[in-house]
Amino acid sequence: MKKRNLTRGCAVLLTLTMLALAGCGGGKSAATAESQGGQNSPAATEAAGGGESAKSKDFVYCCGTEPTTLDPHLINDNATARAAYQIYETLVYRDTDSSIKPRLAESWTTSDDGTVWTFKLRQGVKFHDGETFNAEAVKYNIERLKNPETAAPKASVVDMVKSVDVVDEYTVAFTLSEPSSVFLAQISSYTTGMLSPKSAESQGKEFGQHPVGTGPLKLDSWDYGSSLVMTRFDDYWGEKATVDSITFRIVPEDASRVMMLKTGDADLVAGIPPVQIEELQSDPNVKVLVETGYRTIFLGMNSTVKPLDDVRVRQAVNYAIDRESIIKNVMRDVASYPDSFMVSNVIDNSAKGLGCYEFDQEKAKALLAEAGYADGFTLTLSTPEGRYAMDRQVAEVIQAMLMEVGITAEINVLDWGAYSEQATSGQHQFFLLGMGCPTGDPEFNLFMNFGTEGPQNYSRFSNAAVDQLLAEQSTILDAEERSKVMYQIQEELKNDACGAPLYYEQQTYGSGADVNGFIIYPDENASMAYLVRE
């Protein structure tokens, strides 16, 4: 037994040591990485770009996963949403400071009882197919999103909408089934991106490959599995894009994306590995961009699979994970310790101070023995590669940590499409997943991921108390009272160990030193339409 424990300890040490060595290099520490995202408004960017006609306005953006669809109503992940963000716009949006601002809506009012929201729409807006954006288009979009035949995975963002009525060509009224504290936040989500009714009807199920929105860029071509190209939409209602084109290249391997940045084959790269930030900061041809975001990385557990159906086993898994070690040695402090499943340092009502299970291997072993698994058990740990920074490496370190308490986790690396299919079908056992927050309000994520009927409840978790509290909280208009209920929900999730929050992930990008105008939002959207070369 002693020899076995020594072997397990060596596995953890070896994994962490290899990660530490991989990150050696010059430059400033990761904690001082430049935070460039959002510093330039489109107006400032265009001014900076004046007189640069000789410089190329074609840019290459490298990311780890390919969009699954460009139909905003069918999008189910933030990486895909980031591509769609260039094409579509919502009535309102969250700015870089997390405040809600008008976009396709110029203003709005609410009735005295809080159930009718009336929006004045921006005039002179055209879809990429030349059709006019107006109140009828808004009505079409919301009704399409709510229609069960659309099978929108995040249609719950408009569950509270009872009807949408056209008041006049540029005025639309939403009638809610009851007052809602989260309505504006919900319709800021990428899920409510406005698409062309004419093109949606003519393309049918193929619309996701032939997207038509109102944004500053439009799709030009899509070479599946390799790249897609977006070009400037010259009839855009607002400030015209400064780029001629953006080519999205799909490069799953972190090292390959970084090399393309260093060689100049990419102008922008998503998901810079934390272990390479210091090295890149010493390169005068590169800028490292680090921004706070809404994403929590967690270990999911399918509660319908034995022995994960036992809360003691799920709690044991939580105790077995050394989060501080992962944050320091794998993520290089480009992440922060979690209070709960929601990012407590930037999102209101996120249970700040609740805290996670402390690292305690003896407690983990005792709980496993109490549950009848003193000799451990074996399950599969599914992970994507290239979807999140260091995702595969994090999974490998967790594998070693679980082995320390007798749990064997056999790693299964999947591309994002296959991973999503497996998750949706309920085949996951252990799984590494990131949870962003496209609305900026915890209600959306908590329901989607942990409500019994949540479309992204890949853990198949069910807790009647959580369901009841989730149903109640959105109608509580008093912010302080609602905050108490939201804390209670997250406390219940912790006690029931529905999963294991690992860390709050920061957004990491790299760009060429001469590239400016990339705007990063906390909801993981990013604007690429106003890039310029210095």
Side-chain angles (χ1 to χ4, degrees):
M1 181 62 71
K2 288 183 179 179
K3 182 177 180 181
R4 181 183 173 198
N5 285 342
L6 177 62
T7 302
R8 289 173 179 170
C10 288
V12 176
L13 180 61
L14 177 61
T15 303
L16 293 175
T17 300
M18 291 176 66
L19 286 165
L21 291 173
C24 293
K28 296 178 285 186
S29 69
T32 60
E34 292 180 75
S35 181
Q36 302 284 346
Q39 70 172 4
N40 293 297
S41 67
T45 300
E46 187 172 34
E52 296 183 351
S53 57
K55 297 184 178 180
S56 173
K57 296 181 180 180
D58 300 305
F59 293 83
V60 174
Y61 165 72
C62 280
C63 51
T65 57
E66 184 169 29
T68 55
T69 177
L70 287 175
D71 182 334
H73 301 167
L74 299 182
I75 292 174
N76 204 23
D77 67 278
N78 284 83
T80 295
R82 194 175 304 128
Y85 189 80
Q86 318 310 313
I87 296 172
Y88 299 102
E89 295 174 304
T90 49
L91 296 180
V92 300
Y93 76 104
R94 283 198 183 270
D95 207 343
T96 53
D97 62 0
S98 290
S99 63
I100 293 180
K101 300 284 183 65
R103 182 155 276 163
L104 290 178
E106 291 187 323
S107 63
W108 54 88
T109 57
T110 57
S111 61
D112 291 340
D113 65 359
T115 61
V116 179
W117 291 68
T118 303
F119 292 83
K120 290 290 185 182
L121 305 179
R122 196 176 298 279
Q123 299 185 32
V125 177
K126 294 288 185 183
F127 287 104
H128 300 157
D129 60 4
E131 293 294 298
T132 298
F133 168 77
N134 53 24
E136 289 286 356
V138 175
K139 179 179 173 66
Y140 174 89
N141 272 267
I142 301 303
E143 290 180 349
R144 180 180 188 263
L145 184 57
K146 288 179 68 67
N147 188 341
E149 293 184 5
T150 303
K154 297 186 176 178
S156 61
V157 296
V158 289
D159 270 355
M160 76 288 284
V161 177
K162 186 165 64 174
S163 66
V164 183
D165 298 300
V166 174
V167 178
D168 59 44
E169 187 173 7
Y170 295 105
T171 308
V172 62
F174 289 71
T175 299
L176 312 185
S177 55
E178 55 192 352
S180 172
S181 59
V182 298
F183 175 61
L184 270 186
Q186 300 287 70
I187 64 169
S188 74
S189 163
Y190 58 73
T191 300
T192 61
M194 294 289 143
L195 52 81
S196 165
K198 179 181 178 180
S199 289
E201 289 298 308
S202 63
Q203 292 292 342
K205 293 183 178 180
E206 301 301 315
F207 179 79
Q209 288 73 51
H210 306 279
V212 177
T214 64
L217 299 179
K218 60 183 180 178
L219 183 68
D220 179 75
S221 62
W222 191 347
D223 181 8
Y224 299 104
S226 175
S227 65
L228 60 85
V229 179
M230 297 183 191
T231 56
R232 180 177 56 247
F233 177 43
D234 289 328
D235 289 331
Y236 181 58
W237 61 267
E239 199 163 6
K240 304 299 185 288
T242 54
V243 306
D244 285 341
S245 71
I246 300 282
T247 298
F248 285 61
R249 296 206 181 279
I250 316 305
V251 183
E253 300 80 13
D254 290 344
S256 298
R257 293 198 304 277
V258 170
M259 183 56 66
M260 291 180 70
L261 179 64
K262 290 172 68 68
T263 59
D265 292 318
D267 300 293
L268 279 171
V269 168
I272 295 294
V275 295
Q276 292 191 268
I277 285 180
E278 291 186 25
E279 173 195 348
L280 289 174
Q281 287 212 318
S282 68
D283 187 335
N285 298 313
V286 170
K287 287 189 295 190
V288 176
L289 318 174
V290 179
E291 284 289 344
T292 300
Y294 294 160
R295 181 165 296 279
T296 302
I297 303 297
F298 68 99
L299 179 68
M301 296 179 255
N302 189 333
S303 60
T304 66
V305 172
K306 288 187 177 299
L308 298 178
D309 59 341
D310 190 320
V311 65
R312 295 168 296 183
V313 173
R314 299 196 300 270
Q315 290 172 341
V317 170
N318 271 275
Y319 280 122
I321 297 172
D322 186 349
R323 294 166 175 81
E324 290 183 349
S325 179
I326 293 173
I327 291 168
K328 179 180 179 180
N329 295 300
V330 185
M331 297 306 296
R332 296 309 179 88
D333 292 321
V334 188
S336 55
Y337 198 91
D339 281 308
S340 68
F341 281 100
M342 302 307 304
V343 182
S344 57
N345 54 348
V346 291
I347 298 179
D348 292 337
N349 303 314
S350 52
K352 189 171 186 177
L354 176 61
C356 291
Y357 289 75
E358 69 272 18
F359 174 52
D360 192 326
Q361 291 178 329
E362 295 308 312
K363 279 188 178 180
K365 291 175 183 177
L367 282 165
L368 288 173
E370 182 183 327
Y373 295 95
D375 293 330
F377 59 88
T378 300
L379 288 177
T380 299
L381 196 172
S382 297
T383 180
E385 184 172 23
R387 174 63 184 90
Y388 315 110
M390 307 296 289
D391 43 18
R392 178 171 183 163
Q393 293 86 345
V394 169
E396 290 170 347
V397 170
I398 289 174
Q399 178 189 46
M401 290 175 176
L402 293 179
M403 188 180 293
E404 285 284 316
V405 299
I407 299 172
T408 300
E410 299 175 341
I411 291 181
N412 181 27
V413 181
L414 299 165
D415 67 60
W416 184 242
Y419 180 98
S420 299
E421 288 179 10
Q422 185 183 90
T424 303
S425 64
Q427 296 177 43
H428 279 349
Q429 295 177 354
F430 286 125
F431 55 96
L432 185 76
L433 188 63
M435 181 172 64
C437 189
T439 68
D441 187 277
E443 189 274 344
F444 176 80
N445 272 26
L446 295 178
F447 167 73
M448 291 289 293
N449 291 275
F450 307 115
T452 299
E453 301 299 325
Q456 287 182 193
N457 185 353
Y458 303 144
S459 63
R460 299 302 191 260
F461 175 79
S462 182
N463 181 306
V466 169
D467 290 339
Q468 181 62 32
L469 291 169
L470 280 171
E472 293 174 1
Q473 57 77 37
S474 65
T475 62
I476 301 174
L477 302 183
D478 181 273
E480 186 174 343
E481 288 303 311
R482 179 171 182 256
S483 184
K484 292 177 183 178
V485 174
M486 297 303 289
Y487 189 98
Q488 188 178 352
I489 292 170
Q490 292 165 89
E491 188 174 38
E492 188 71 32
L493 292 176
K494 176 184 177 180
N495 293 338
D496 215 351
C498 61
L502 301 175
Y503 50 86
Y504 299 148
E505 183 185 59
Q506 291 186 306
Q507 302 182 75
T508 57
Y509 293 88
S511 77
D514 64 338
V515 175
N516 209 350
F518 183 54
I519 303 174
I520 305 170
Y521 297 95
D523 60 5
E524 298 189 0
N525 283 320
S527 172
M528 305 178 202
Y530 300 99
L531 297 176
V532 293
R533 301 185 194 279
E534 295 178 347

